[in-house]
Amino acid sequence: MNSTLISKVKDSFINKFNADPLMIFSPGRINIIGEHTDYNDGFVFPAAVDKGIVAAFHKSDDKVSTAYAIDMNESIVFELDKLKPSSEGSWENYVLGVVAEMQNKNKVVGNFNIAFSGDIPAGSGMSSSAALENSVVFGLNELFNLGLSKTEMILISQKAEHNYVGVNCGIMDQYASMFGIENNALLLDCRTVEATPFEINFKDHELILINTNVKHSLSDSAYNDRRSACENIASLLDIKALRDATEADLLTIKDQVTPENYQKALYVVQENNRAVKASQAMLDGDLETLGALIYGSHEGLSKQYKVSCDELDFLVEQAKLNAHILGARMMGGGFGGCTINLISKNAVETFKTTVSKAYKAKFNKDCSIYAVKLSNGTHVIK
Ligand code: GLA
């Protein structure tokens, strides 16, 4: 965890609100494989990372509550009985949405003040939004002693995203951020919302992220459209979700859907199988197979599900040119953000140099490269 960030948030809170706050850390996440499978009741393979949101809380004696976004130097004052969504794309919805959804669950909080900041690059596909939502629900649950379970909390965060942010997301991001375990990735079954932890030790390999620095925005309808397309095909097949479909099932309705939507559903079925196979490869210590599945995931996301972009495709092509990289793919919702790369440890430095140069030459902008450390989920900072 970033101690400079913690001090910054604490000091800013004390300066603004003149009280000693409760401090919460809530991480972002990576995802090894299983993309756009979560809202199809399928499998995903995420892990919480050591970057995230730090939020400071204190009860307020005023008749209003205040939320302060330190990095934007913006604050809002609101009344708890008059909550409504703010303008689209604004950070306010993550805070207001969580409070509103807590109220919907009859978990009523008193007035409070919050200040927060983070070290996840926004729009990088590492779920800064889920980290913020989880920090709010977790902090308020502590502050007002509401007795919410972690599962209840992530469902509140997800509802806030649906109803205030306007993205009909699955449960992967909120789950990974809340339930993360140090040095582990979580094979999450999004139907039962239960996960099996896998200790991650790639021996002479490691995971690195390369950020295109193209900010993705999920609130545009692209994400929601794909979710509805999947749900429509599931209902054509008379199943609960595409998780229950096989490729053979899809053939039976092929002439009833557009070729584009057929490919999307096929992608989901195949990606779900890849996620399951990846967990087996990991148990077998078979990194070659894991890497091939990761490349396959990107191919599907780019060509079938169509959520990639030129910059992401370019970075994956660069990875494929390098024999020391076993797999690479875009990560998260898509249209920008990061690729995740499974790379031989002793090839990292050289690859960093070549890929940065190539990216700059092609797009006339910089990419950013991060190592990842798998970390614990949302918690109180002692
Ligand atoms: C976003 C959503 C998640 C998931 C991914 C794609 O991160 O918030 O629920 O659907 O996209 O796998």
Side-chain angles (χ1 to χ4, degrees):
M1 237 186 313
N2 179 336
S3 52
T4 325
L5 177 63
I6 297 172
S7 315
K8 175 173 104 178
V9 174
K10 190 166 184 176
D11 294 346
S12 306
F13 189 95
I14 294 172
N15 273 335
K16 190 165 173 79
F17 300 111
N18 213 354
D20 191 22
L22 164 74
M23 300 290 295
I24 305 293
F25 174 71
S26 189
R29 60 111 189 89
I30 57 160
N31 185 24
I32 298 174
I33 197 162
E35 216 65 88
H36 289 275
T37 44
D38 62 349
Y39 51 83
N40 290 297
D41 276 7
F43 289 93
V44 292
F45 218 143
V49 293
D50 59 342
K51 292 186 186 348
I53 296 283
V54 172
F57 296 82
H58 201 274
K59 290 182 183 172
S60 151
D61 299 328
D62 295 342
K63 294 202 165 47
V64 291
S65 295
T66 302
Y68 175 34
I70 298 169
D71 298 331
M72 273 151 290
N73 194 20
E74 281 174 19
S75 49
I76 48 164
V77 175
F78 52 96
E79 291 173 60
L80 292 172
D81 56 353
K82 288 185 188 139
L83 296 175
K84 58 172 178 20
S86 172
S87 55
E88 200 185 305
S90 132
W91 61 269
E92 299 164 21
N93 285 326
Y94 298 102
V95 179
L96 299 174
V98 166
V99 182
E101 296 302 337
M102 290 176 82
Q103 290 176 347
N104 284 344
K105 288 253 167 265
N106 286 324
K107 294 294 174 185
V108 178
V109 298
N111 278 303
F112 66 95
N113 296 320
I114 171 180
F116 68 90
S117 172
D119 57 359
I120 310 175
S124 63
M126 291 169 74
S127 295
S128 50
S129 43
L132 177 53
E133 290 150 1
N134 280 354
S135 73
V136 176
V137 67
F138 195 94
L140 294 178
N141 183 55
E142 286 288 316
L143 201 62
F144 293 99
N145 236 319
L146 301 174
L148 285 162
S149 70
K150 285 186 174 183
T151 302
E152 288 173 311
M153 289 193 259
I154 62 170
L155 294 174
I156 287 172
S157 291
Q158 186 193 28
K159 278 263 174 294
E161 185 99 18
H162 291 183
N163 298 331
Y164 268 63
V165 182
V167 178
N168 294 328
C169 65
I171 197 66
M172 167 169 73
D173 304 349
Q174 291 79 8
Y175 188 97
S177 165
M178 184 67 75
F179 287 93
I181 303 173
E182 196 173 0
N183 298 326
N184 281 256
L186 308 166
L187 177 65
L188 172 63
D189 179 336
C190 297
R191 171 161 284 165
T192 58
V193 197
E194 279 167 11
T196 313
F198 279 64
E199 193 165 340
I200 298 297
N201 177 0
F202 292 137
K203 306 217 172 73
D204 50 355
H205 284 73
E206 67 181 52
L207 294 171
I208 59 167
L209 303 183
I210 310 179
N211 192 349
T212 56
N213 291 319
V214 176
K215 281 193 186 157
H216 75 148
S217 159
L218 288 183
S219 18
D220 57 9
S221 50
Y223 184 94
N224 294 348
D225 287 351
R226 279 165 182 71
R227 181 171 182 157
S228 334
C230 292
E231 287 170 351
N232 290 339
I233 294 179
S235 52
L236 265 182
L237 287 166
D238 203 19
I239 52 177
K240 187 161 174 279
L242 284 182
R243 184 264 181 67
D244 302 312
T246 62
E247 292 189 32
D249 295 334
L250 290 181
L251 283 175
T252 65
I253 50 98
K254 192 169 181 184
D255 55 357
Q256 297 172 55
V257 299
T258 64
E260 290 76 22
N261 284 346
Y262 177 77
Q263 284 305 321
K264 290 193 175 89
L266 184 60
Y267 160 79
V268 170
V269 171
Q270 293 173 338
E271 178 74 353
N272 200 42
N273 291 334
R274 276 190 289 264
V276 174
K277 284 188 189 147
S279 64
Q280 188 56 49
M282 231 124 95
L283 287 175
D284 300 342
D286 181 356
L287 295 187
E288 258 81 31
T289 299
L290 175 63
L293 291 164
I294 292 175
Y295 275 134
S297 171
H298 185 80
E299 187 73 10
L301 286 159
S302 178
K303 306 262 162 56
Q304 296 171 281
Y305 215 62
K306 297 206 185 299
V307 289
S308 188
C309 64
D310 291 346
E311 290 85 348
L312 288 165
D313 289 345
F314 180 80
L315 289 177
V316 171
E317 285 312 314
Q318 291 295 306
K320 282 189 177 161
L321 295 174
N322 188 319
H324 302 286
I325 299 177
L326 298 179
R329 62 179 204 87
M330 55 147 277
M331 192 182 78
F335 307 108
C338 293
T339 61
I340 181 167
N341 302 259
L342 179 58
I343 180 170
S344 164
K345 280 180 182 160
N346 54 33
V348 172
E349 285 315 312
T350 323
F351 180 59
K352 273 185 179 174
T353 316
T354 25
V355 77
S356 304
K357 267 197 203 145
Y359 190 81
K360 178 93 183 186
K362 172 92 180 165
F363 297 107
N364 196 26
K365 63 181 170 230
D366 292 316
C367 60
S368 317
I369 305 179
Y370 324 115
V372 288
K373 199 168 167 308
L374 308 191
S375 303
N376 286 327
T378 312
H379 58 268
V380 174
I381 302 168
K382 292 273 165 21

